[in-house]
Amino acid sequence: TYTVGNYKYVVTNLKKKTVTVSGLKKKTLKKITINNTVKIQGQTFKITTIGVSAFKGSKKLKTVSLKCKYLTSIGKNAFNNCKVLKGITIKSKNLKKVGKGAFKGIHKNAKIRVPKTRLSKYKKLLKGKGQKKTVKITK
């Protein structure tokens, strides 16, 4: 596990140079932005996964921007119990898996923004992942 800036990372594959975001250095952050890559010990790694329970219980978290185009999965309970989380932006077009309860306990009026070309696919993928029915998935 490596800590770079405000985030903790776990290297998942050294050959492919991929990492998982496993959590926060401090749970008092109000805004999270995950980019494409991270530099760990002078090497650049692609961020491919948001880990299981990575941001669980971040009570002050209001916005999340997942700008990483390599993102393929969001682990179960990743944003569980982030009660004031109202805005989630997913830029990746490669998202294939979202874990059970990933968005459980987020704000009831939250908006999840996804790429326009993947709207219908992501609506199906994100359906029933713990968020209330009032949460909107838009482009």
Side-chain angles (χ1 to χ4, degrees):
T1 305
Y2 297 95
T3 303
V4 179
N6 290 318
Y7 309 106
K8 291 179 183 171
Y9 299 96
V10 175
V11 177
T12 50
N13 191 325
L14 266 176
K15 274 188 179 168
K16 291 182 182 174
K17 293 193 176 184
T18 59
V19 292
T20 295
V21 179
S22 63
L24 291 170
K25 194 163 117 180
K26 52 186 178 202
K27 294 221 180 213
T28 55
L29 285 179
K30 290 181 181 175
K31 186 178 179 183
I32 289 177
T33 303
I34 307 288
N35 293 312
N36 287 323
T37 57
V38 63
K39 264 199 158 119
I40 299 172
Q41 294 182 340
Q43 292 188 38
T44 304
F45 289 86
K46 294 176 185 172
I47 299 170
T48 57
T49 315
I50 304 295
V52 174
S53 302
F55 306 113
K56 184 177 180 179
S58 299
K59 297 199 185 330
K60 294 186 179 186
L61 189 61
K62 286 184 179 176
T63 58
V64 172
S65 182
L66 304 174
K67 293 181 176 179
C68 39
K69 62 184 175 193
Y70 307 111
L71 189 69
T72 56
S73 74
I74 297 173
K76 71 177 190 180
N77 297 324
F79 299 99
N80 189 334
N81 213 12
C82 297
K83 289 182 170 96
V84 293
L85 180 56
K86 271 190 166 181
I88 301 169
T89 305
I90 301 171
K91 297 268 185 182
S92 173
K93 294 180 180 176
N94 303 318
L95 195 62
K96 288 174 179 48
K97 189 174 166 238
V98 178
K100 185 178 176 185
F103 300 109
K104 188 175 183 179
I106 66 170
H107 197 279
K108 65 179 181 180
N109 295 328
K111 277 197 174 107
I112 301 174
R113 286 181 184 78
V114 297
K116 188 163 62 172
T117 56
R118 297 279 193 265
L119 184 63
S120 62
K121 186 180 177 188
Y122 281 9
K123 272 188 176 179
K124 287 176 193 162
L125 183 67
L126 297 171
K127 189 178 178 185
K129 299 303 176 190
Q131 71 271 36
K132 289 190 167 59
K133 292 199 182 334
T134 52
V135 172
K136 288 185 172 65
I137 299 168
T138 61
K139 57 185 183 218

